[in-house]
Amino acid sequence: MTEQRKRGSTASKEALLDAARDLFAERGYDRTTVRDIAGRAGVNQALLFRYFGSKEALFAAVVARSGRDRLAGSPPDQVFARILRGILDKEHHGDHAMRIMLRSTGEDAVAREIHDRLGQDYIRALAGTTGHPDAALRAHLVLAWIVGIDLLRSVTGAEPLAGADSDHVMACVLPAVRTLLEQVQDIPSHSDT
Amino acid sequence: MTEQRKRGSTASKEALLDAARDLFAERGYDRTTVRDIAGRAGVNQALLFRYFGSKEALFAAVVARSGRDRLAGSPPDQVFARILRGILDKEHHGDHAMRIMLRSTGEDAVAREIHDRLGQDYIRALAGTTGHPDAALRAHLVLAWIVGIDLLRSVTGAEPLAGADSDHVMACVLPAVRTLLEQVQDIPSHSDT
DNA sequence: CGGTGATGTAAGCAAGCGCTTACCATCGGA
DNA sequence: TCCGATGGTAAGCGCTTGCTTACATCACCG
């Protein structure tokens, strides 16, 4: 009769991960209960603990799966454009990394870890595009802009930013970023790789 | 016997508001319990409910008190600099508006309301500084940058941004913002393959 | 078959939560 | 002096939380 018998462990795990990802993004870590997750996944609550051990471990698994293929390794002078494009087009692939991070800042270490892992690659790549003595600071400022844009678009959904055409947004932002990164005081000329 | 008798209702209310403001900023709404708040305020838990009715009403009171004197009314071409300065110097006056907003996004309406009230003034003032047809979008991008800088500094405490000299940061950011706001409509070709 | 391990489930436990209740202690005015 | 109003407190209620336990149900293999 009931055909939801024996879906298989990997399928159940995957369903739990998907449900958890969506709910964490919607409500944040604290306002999401394990009963909610299991319910949306169509899986008994006890299985969540059998497969992941704890709610926090589930969260870690969600984060780990989300931050897997984040930015392969691309020419540094296009990094910013690629990142920005990825964020602006985010509706296409339901990643929700930023929303999860911001909505679930309860466990500080976790959020910090996400930020570091997500940010360090960006920073390194961006800092390589300029020869400033304060290249790291300027790269962080660029990251800050990305984070802010992502936040206003995906979390608060503020118009007109949220609905703006991504090409248009990039055409606005890129020249300003170029000003920030290229604005030179005195650069000793050594070529970068 | 015990000498902490009769502190007075307004003093107790103020102590509760201060403790709540700090704890909400530190841990977020959900991870802050009314017992924590009362404990830090040195006030009996039941008084919290006598004076404010509920935990959520306390939160609303904190927000209301925080967002009171936000940006009087200043020459529009200096708005961005003033806002940025205010954020960068925030350690001096324990406001925590942004941290509270971001840490306590559970109640969506509240966070949204904060954002709107906090943002609309900025947006209006900034949009007045440029004659672009998409002035609003560009103003929102500036707000996004502010939000991102504030987030990275105050919430995640990311270095080198968090520890950077505010004059230095402003010297980096302002020219780029000027590029964003003054840049005329024809767009320089972007290096893309 | 029979048993062994993986999958799924109902029921409930201990703890923490927001909030309430019933009760002191103090003071100002009559 | 008595009394009501006000400030303060201990105890606990009802509920939800994350997590556990004991028990069915299947698949597979000797």
Side-chain angles (χ1 to χ4, degrees), chain B residues 17 119 124 164 177 189:
Chain B
L17 283 170
R124 245 192 306 279
V177 168
S189 62

Side-chain angles (χ1 to χ4, degrees), chain A residues 8-192:
Chain A
S9 72
T10 56
S12 292
K13 279 187 212 171
E14 216 63 30
L16 285 169
L17 284 170
D18 288 341
R21 184 238 291 130
D22 293 342
L23 285 168
F24 286 148
E26 282 173 27
R27 311 179 193 173
Y29 181 87
D30 288 309
R31 303 236 161 158
T32 301
T33 72
V34 294
R35 286 170 175 81
D36 289 338
I37 298 171
R40 179 173 295 198
V43 163
N44 187 282
Q45 183 200 169
L47 286 184
L48 188 156
F49 293 95
R50 170 131 68 204
Y51 292 140
F52 296 97
S54 73
K55 182 190 179 186
E56 209 157 339
L58 211 207
F59 180 77
V62 168
V63 169
R65 196 181 60 159
S66 142
R68 204 155 279 163
D69 41 14
R70 203 73 190 112
L71 174 71
S74 43
D77 60 326
Q78 295 169 20
V79 173
F80 178 74
R82 288 198 46 189
I83 296 168
L84 186 56
R85 172 73 71 186
I87 282 176
L88 293 175
D89 293 346
K90 192 153 67 179
E91 315 103 39
H92 303 317
H93 63 298
D95 187 290
H96 295 160
M98 181 64 64
R99 297 183 64 187
I100 294 174
M101 161 183 158
L102 287 171
R103 284 274 165 96
S104 305
T105 42
E107 197 63 23
D108 231 305
V110 184
R112 191 65 166 275
E113 185 197 310
I114 301 173
H115 164 258
D116 286 346
R117 188 168 35 173
L118 200 124
Q120 283 313 109
D121 296 339
Y122 295 4
I123 294 301
R124 245 192 306 278
L126 280 165
T129 67
T130 174
H132 275 285
D134 57 348
L137 174 63
R138 285 161 191 270
H140 266 87
L141 284 169
V142 173
L143 175 65
W145 205 353
I146 292 176
V147 169
I149 292 172
D150 200 3
L151 176 64
L152 258 58
R153 279 176 62 98
S154 73
V155 177
T156 74
E159 294 294 348
L161 231 187
D165 174 59
S166 54
D167 285 319
H168 190 181
V169 173
M170 293 185 68
C172 294
V173 171
L174 287 179
V177 168
R178 214 167 290 131
T179 299
L180 176 71
L181 291 180
E182 289 176 358
Q183 170 199 51
V184 174
Q185 352 194 317
D186 233 356
I187 294 189
S189 62
H190 42 56
S191 50
D192 50 300

Side-chain angles (χ1 to χ4, degrees), chain B residues 32-55:
Chain B
T32 301
T33 72
V34 294
R35 287 170 175 84
D36 289 338
I37 298 171
R40 180 173 294 198
V43 162
N44 188 282
Q45 183 200 169
L47 286 184
L48 188 156
F49 293 96
R50 170 132 67 204
Y51 292 140
F52 295 97
S54 71
K55 182 190 178 186

